[in-house]
Amino acid sequence: SVLLGVRVEAVGLCEVGLSVDTCSAAGTPDSATPDAAWSWRFAHWMWWPVPHTVAPSAISAIQLKLKLISRDEAPGRRSPELLQASYRPDLQASLRPGDLGKKEEEAEAALGVAELALAKVLASPHEALLFTLPVHASAHNGASPHEALAFSRPVALTPSGNGGVPVNGTDSAAVGAHGSAATSLPAADGAVVGVSAADGSSVPTRGVAHDGAHVGAHDGAHHGAHHGASPVGTLLVRVTWRPTLDVPDATLPLDVYGFQVPMAHVLAFHRVRVSTGRDSTMWLSQWNALMRRTGVDGSLPAEAAQLARSKFGRVPLQHRPHAWLCLSGARDLMLASAVPYRELVRRAEMGEAPIDRDVSKQIERDLPRTFPQHRAFASPTGLREALRRVLLTYASYNVSVGYCQSLNFIVAIFLLVADEEGAFWLLVALCRTVVADYHTRDMSGLRIDTAAFVTLVQEKLPSLHAHFVKLEVPLEILASQWWLCLYANVLPTATLLRMWDVVLAGGGVDTLVASSLSLLRRFEPRLKETEDIAGVYAVLAEATTAVWDPDELMLSMQEEPPAQRLAMHEQRESKRKEVLEALIRDLPCSEADVMRLLQVQRRQGFVHKSHSIAIAAAEAGVPSSAAESTSLCAMCLDRYISATDLARLLLLGSPMAGRKH
Amino acid sequence: MSYAYLFKYIIIGDTGVGKSCLLLQFTDKRFQQVHDLTIGVEFGARMITIDNKQIKLQIWDTAGQESFRSITRSYYRGAAGALLVYDITRRETFNHLTSWLDDARQHSNSNMTIMLIGNKTDLEHRRAVSFEEGQQFANEHGLIFLETSAKTAANVEEAFINTARRIYEKIQQGVFDVSNESFGIKVGMAAQQTGSVNVSIQGQQRSSSGCC
């Protein structure tokens, strides 16, 4: 089957939204997928995988119906214009005026609909097709621009090799619904992409610059009812697809994200698929309803986090990328960032941003060791390039983390869910707020939490703890293995992603702790029968890969006493001092220096701006040579630097710091 | 399973030198071209026979990236043997040996037996560190030395078994107080048993946190 991803960015539009109304695969018996309907308002960021339960070869075209929606809740205040852009397998597009007034029973009045039937998409996996849908104000009803909008011009279509987004000129006069034309555009790769409209007159299309390639610009006469009206914005629609089931020699099924189901679990996999499939409509309608209430800035309603964290709040596949990006704060980080992802990538690739040579070599070495059994990562093609770019860019973006093994697994999962830019910002959000200081060089956050966890296990599962002590099971390391990757290489995909729903929706480390505790509790009888560490690891490896029902772990986690959370916090606080002291002992500078600096850090709270770093350093009496070092400030600017890492950075650069080594 | 002694081993060395592959070859007698990288620690166990005594090797395969050392090195202490591995095709892994050795010596008991291993001899054409250099490093630091290939299994048995033999000799010489488990040695139920004849080697289950 195929995962179809759709990402839509609205440029310059305000107070409108777009909904993907239907998505279906033509040419297959399974051509209607009414469950794949969703809608949202003004979203910068959309990308949805759509599952199809057919072989990709059987699909002749995929149709997407995009609906432009007004912010205005009252339907029927205007008669919105409907446009349909249909891409047929022969790569001809047509525009048809239409009317959605008939659908006024809908809560939102659609302003325009574009139907995209994608055939060429299927020719090459992991390649994106890009559509731009300029939108302009419908002048005829005298409404304000945001109240009456329509797709103003036919679509420029360009195949693209990676996750880029073009900048499209929006200054040209638009051709409205009634203007239509047939124009052939030489696409970047030499394929001819046809754009045609119903009445045969020519349509002006502007060149779309994308990754250096230009789709030919054809300036023609301007036609149509909206001649002279300025487009108020552009919708950039990016469509990609990923195969999930077309491994020719696959004797074992793959799950929807492309991971092979182990032989021993095939039955469980099918059983769970049937049972979760049965109630999937319920999940979807629940989330669809929520998505319809997306705020004007594209943010999700407050209940979304609550829903995601509830027992039965499983985020449907379709909504997962957007939900994760919003709930984790990744989308806010992306929008707030002064430097867009593409620019960060460019800087990292051009060597303008500092990347340790060892780090880039290490990333290179780990690429083939990241889910080698997954089709998308098994070969240098597929998602491996994206994985490399995200890891490299992150290494230059957050110097206090650089690259830590286990981030590769996390990013790989993010890439299967969201697109490249989304994966990057998800990683930034995760390392900044969820598992802060887990992947830094000293792993201080991780060590505090695992130390606290051990005490918690001792308290809650005393006999298991005693057994582990007897066998010398390194519980801290076990928890580290689980938590560094957030179980990415431990749990079956569906269960893993369900857990990440909760983690990213604010559940954070507590979710990791609760799930670890509940896993240990569940397998306690078997674990107590083991005779050595290898036995313990074997039981856990087998047991964790068998948690196929995504709700099962959630339910058992909820059974953990509510006091658990508090206990963990108390433990963490008591361990914090211990771990920090141990860290300071390892630091290549005097304790007094670090303590002084840490005190200032604590007073100042979260420090991630160069000026506050300089102030902190000055107050701590760190020699100004280090604090003023512009390169250091540049490195710290706009990045999260943990207190200990900052101390280390400053003191390493400080000639006056008394070094131990 | 009864054993005369249990020896705890650690495998250390830079990331990507083949630590997990050596362990897999030793416990399962197979080589995996591609596998997930190790996060934290993985474990393997196998019985060997020395001097007609069943000896169980319990092996801790550690993650090689430097940051992981902060969480793994506290477990060096209870190890009787260490395999310090470098990759003969990558010079830097050899250059880092001193730092690994310092770390191991600092965090372990002074009687830990250390075997230096130059791995990947199957890639002779890409060799960047000569056998003599490895031998010299081992001599200077009092280590046993072998070159291995986890892929062809060359010298893999020897690497693990020779280390065990050296530890066993030290026990015979009374170097260790075997009742003190902090040396990484445990006396099993079968310690006094004369044991069976043949070198019967049973691969045991090897844990892995492999993905779905």
Side-chain angles (χ1 to χ4, degrees):
Chain A
S1 70
V2 175
L3 286 183
L4 186 70
V6 183
R7 166 181 158 174
V8 181
E9 273 184 86
V11 180
L13 288 170
C14 57
E15 302 197 1
V16 290
L18 190 78
S19 89
V20 176
D21 215 37
T22 57
C23 181
S24 58
T28 70
D30 193 23
S31 67
T33 51
D35 274 352
W38 57 78
S39 51
W40 71 90
R41 287 213 183 84
F42 186 44
H44 285 267
W45 189 278
M46 297 294 155
W47 149 271
W48 275 306
V50 179
H52 289 276
T53 51
V54 290
S57 55
I59 299 174
S60 61
I62 290 175
Q63 292 193 319
L64 269 177
K65 197 165 161 198
L66 304 174
K67 210 162 49 159
L68 204 57
I69 304 162
S70 165
R71 267 295 291 159
D72 199 328
E73 291 287 340
R77 271 185 57 190
R78 74 213 144 269
S79 50
E81 215 149 346
L82 170 72
L83 282 186
Q84 283 190 333
S86 293
Y87 285 84
R88 300 296 172 209
D90 58 357
L91 294 176
Q92 292 296 299
S94 63
L95 292 178
R96 281 192 305 276
D99 183 13
L100 270 195
K102 296 166 199 159
K103 289 195 176 178
E104 275 178 10
E105 69 276 9
E106 290 182 8
E108 300 112 340
L111 294 166
V113 171
E115 250 182 46
L116 313 172
L118 316 169
K120 192 173 179 299
V121 187
L122 297 177
S124 137
H126 309 298
E127 184 191 62
L129 277 189
L130 193 96
F131 303 83
T132 63
L133 297 168
V135 176
H136 79 127
S138 299
H140 61 90
N141 61 1
S144 63
H146 67 268
E147 285 178 315
L149 296 163
F151 294 120
S152 58
R153 284 177 303 178
V155 175
L157 167 66
T158 164
S160 87
N162 64 33
V165 171
V167 180
N168 187 48
T170 56
D171 57 334
S172 72
V175 169
H178 313 297
S180 48
T183 313
S184 274
L185 300 178
D189 64 353
V192 173
V193 178
V195 179
S196 76
D199 69 12
S201 57
S202 92
V203 172
T205 41
R206 288 185 66 84
V208 176
H210 182 29
D211 294 337
H214 289 258
V215 172
H218 295 255
D219 285 320
H222 297 165
H223 293 283
H226 313 302
H227 179 78
S230 301
V232 293
T234 310
L235 292 172
L236 306 171
V237 185
R238 199 169 149 265
V239 184
T240 61
W241 69 285
R242 286 168 194 170
T244 56
L245 250 177
D246 56 346
V247 182
D249 56 348
T251 48
L252 295 171
L254 302 181
D255 65 30
V256 76
Y257 285 97
F259 286 101
Q260 200 159 55
V261 179
M263 181 63 97
H265 301 304
V266 171
L267 277 178
F269 169 73
H270 283 300
R271 197 175 55 238
V272 169
R273 198 164 64 166
V274 169
S275 74
T276 55
R278 214 176 289 137
D279 48 21
S280 66
T281 326
M282 193 177 81
W283 306 126
L284 195 64
S285 57
Q286 197 171 230
W287 277 92
N288 279 346
L290 204 73
M291 288 287 173
R292 274 189 206 102
R293 289 166 42 220
T294 299
V296 68
D297 59 349
S299 59
L300 287 177
E303 301 94 294
Q306 244 172 312
L307 179 60
R309 287 169 65 174
S310 70
K311 268 188 220 180
F312 298 107
R314 195 194 315 145
V315 184
L317 181 81
Q318 294 91 329
H319 296 309
R320 199 164 253 150
H322 193 59
W324 279 15
L325 282 154
C326 288
L327 296 174
S328 68
R331 187 174 163 279
D332 291 341
L333 285 169
M334 182 196 78
L335 295 176
S337 171
V339 187
Y341 172 69
R342 274 165 68 86
E343 174 60 15
L344 291 170
V345 171
R346 194 193 61 79
R347 286 182 194 173
E349 284 181 339
M350 302 299 286
E352 289 171 25
I355 304 180
D356 197 330
R357 223 174 82 82
D358 288 343
V359 166
S360 48
K361 277 165 82 178
Q362 189 57 53
I363 291 172
E364 214 53 51
R365 206 167 297 127
D366 289 347
L367 291 174
R369 298 198 283 170
T370 308
F371 296 130
Q373 65 282 54
H374 191 289
R375 196 173 181 278
F377 300 103
S379 66
T381 56
L383 291 172
R384 211 187 258 184
E385 276 304 312
L387 181 63
R388 172 190 287 122
R389 277 193 299 271
V390 172
L391 289 173
L392 270 178
T393 308
Y394 189 73
S396 73
Y397 178 83
N398 188 337
V399 285
S400 78
V401 169
Y403 166 67
C404 174
Q405 287 179 338
S406 70
L407 292 183
N408 54 329
F409 292 115
I410 293 175
V411 173
I413 299 287
F414 280 157
L415 282 170
L416 290 173
V417 171
D419 70 350
E420 188 180 326
E421 187 170 10
F424 174 79
W425 292 108
L426 280 168
L427 180 66
V428 173
L430 184 80
C431 292
R432 182 176 290 198
T433 56
V434 183
V435 284
D437 291 348
Y438 267 43
H439 302 89
T440 49
R441 266 164 214 128
D442 50 38
M443 298 185 168
S444 54
L446 177 75
R447 287 167 66 184
I448 292 166
D449 288 351
T450 51
F453 179 66
V454 172
T455 321
L456 201 63
V457 173
Q458 187 173 10
E459 212 172 275
K460 304 291 172 190
L461 304 166
S463 69
L464 183 67
H465 183 264
H467 182 68
F468 279 0
V469 169
K470 196 181 93 200
L471 300 186
E472 295 170 27
V473 175
L475 199 49
E476 286 180 42
I477 291 185
L478 181 70
S480 306
Q481 269 164 284
W482 282 348
W483 299 353
L484 273 174
C485 312
L486 289 96
Y487 294 98
N489 51 358
V490 178
L491 293 173
T493 330
T495 307
L496 173 77
L497 297 190
R498 177 66 193 116
M499 181 185 288
W500 286 22
D501 288 345
V502 181
V503 169
L504 294 171
V509 172
D510 289 330
T511 313
L512 300 179
V513 173
S515 53
S516 298
L517 208 55
S518 99
L519 281 171
L520 290 181
R521 197 190 296 277
R522 266 178 73 162
F523 302 120
E524 187 175 1
R526 282 177 64 195
L527 287 168
K528 280 203 231 158
E529 285 166 16
T530 54
E531 286 170 356
D532 59 10
I533 303 177
V536 170
Y537 265 62
V539 166
L540 286 175
E542 193 201 315
T544 48
T545 49
V547 190
W548 278 96
D549 188 340
D551 296 329
E552 199 177 298
L553 191 60
M554 286 304 298
L555 289 173
S556 66
M557 268 165 60
Q558 304 268 344
E559 283 162 18
E560 295 293 329
Q564 217 70 97
R565 201 161 290 174
L566 187 66
M568 183 66 188
H569 281 306
E570 281 164 9
Q571 294 299 345
R572 214 178 279 161
E573 280 315 308
S574 72
K575 295 291 173 196
R576 187 178 302 277
K577 193 164 169 281
E578 242 171 76
V579 172
L580 284 179
E581 277 166 7
L583 281 175
I584 288 163
R585 274 199 302 278
D586 290 347
L587 275 179
C589 58
S590 80
E591 282 178 37
D593 282 344
V594 179
M595 286 318 291
R596 215 164 50 222
L597 194 61
L598 286 181
Q599 278 163 5
V600 180
Q601 289 288 314
R602 238 168 264 142
R603 239 188 352 253
Q604 297 221 329
F606 205 61
V607 179
H608 58 92
K609 289 282 181 258
S610 61
H611 65 270
S612 45
I613 290 167
I615 294 166
E619 279 191 31
V622 170
S624 56
S625 58
E628 281 171 4
S629 155
T630 44
S631 65
L632 181 68
C633 288
M635 279 199 295
C636 299
L637 188 68
D638 200 25
R639 292 179 187 123
Y640 168 62
I641 307 271
S642 75
T644 45
D645 276 316
L646 176 63
R648 176 177 286 179
L649 264 174
L650 287 172
L651 290 162
L652 279 176
S654 146
M656 279 171 66
R659 301 198 179 178
K660 282 180 182 168
H661 303 296
Chain B
M1 193 169 295
S2 70
Y3 52 80
Y5 293 106
L6 181 145
F7 295 165
K8 176 179 158 186
Y9 276 18
I10 51 171
I11 312 182
I12 54 177
D14 275 10
T15 167
V17 296
K19 296 183 292 296
S20 300
C21 290
L22 281 168
L23 177 59
L24 190 66
Q25 184 59 260
F26 180 65
T27 55
D28 286 27
K29 300 199 181 310
R30 63 194 173 93
F31 176 73
Q32 218 174 343
Q33 192 75 44
V34 283
H35 62 93
D36 280 355
L37 62 91
T38 308
I39 305 289
V41 175
E42 288 184 18
F43 295 92
R46 207 186 98 175
M47 283 292 192
I48 59 168
T49 306
I50 291 173
D51 196 16
N52 278 340
K53 290 220 164 59
Q54 291 279 89
I55 293 175
K56 181 169 178 176
L57 299 184
Q58 184 196 83
I59 305 148
W60 294 46
D61 168 26
T62 65
Q65 203 185 19
E66 194 178 342
S67 45
F68 288 92
R69 273 201 242 181
S70 68
I71 50 172
T72 53
R73 66 176 157 221
S74 54
Y75 294 91
Y76 290 0
R77 193 162 300 280
L83 306 188
L84 171 55
V85 189
Y86 68 93
D87 175 352
I88 63 157
T89 68
R90 274 160 54 212
R91 184 96 216 160
E92 73 269 19
T93 65
F94 182 75
N95 296 340
H96 295 158
L97 288 178
T98 324
S99 132
W100 280 109
L101 201 55
D102 287 349
D103 219 28
R105 290 245 158 95
Q106 197 186 334
H107 291 91
S108 68
N109 68 74
S110 53
N111 283 313
M112 183 164 79
T113 304
I114 304 176
M115 162 76 82
L116 179 67
I117 293 175
N119 190 33
K120 307 198 186 177
T121 51
D122 51 291
L123 302 174
E124 187 61 44
H125 57 287
R126 278 165 46 193
R127 182 187 277 276
V129 183
S130 71
F131 179 85
E132 290 71 24
E133 281 174 287
Q135 186 67 62
Q136 195 190 339
F137 185 94
N139 292 345
E140 278 168 16
H141 296 89
L143 318 173
I144 331 171
F145 177 62
L146 270 180
E147 280 194 343
T148 62
S149 165
K151 189 172 184 177
T152 66
N155 270 349
V156 173
E157 291 280 301
E158 289 80 353
F160 285 87
I161 291 172
N162 292 0
T163 310
R165 193 163 284 137
R166 184 69 64 91
I167 297 167
Y168 183 76
E169 284 163 15
K170 285 186 185 171
I171 295 173
Q172 303 298 97
Q173 292 158 10
V175 173
F176 300 112
D177 169 14
V178 288
S179 64
N180 181 348
E181 291 189 357
S182 70
F183 290 111
I185 298 164
K186 265 190 211 168
V187 183
M189 304 302 246
Q192 306 310 318
Q193 211 173 295
T194 38
S196 54
V197 255
N198 279 330
V199 183
S200 63
I201 292 167
Q202 285 120 346
Q204 285 209 332
Q205 79 276 58
R206 177 173 178 273
S207 69
S208 94
S209 45
C211 186
C212 23

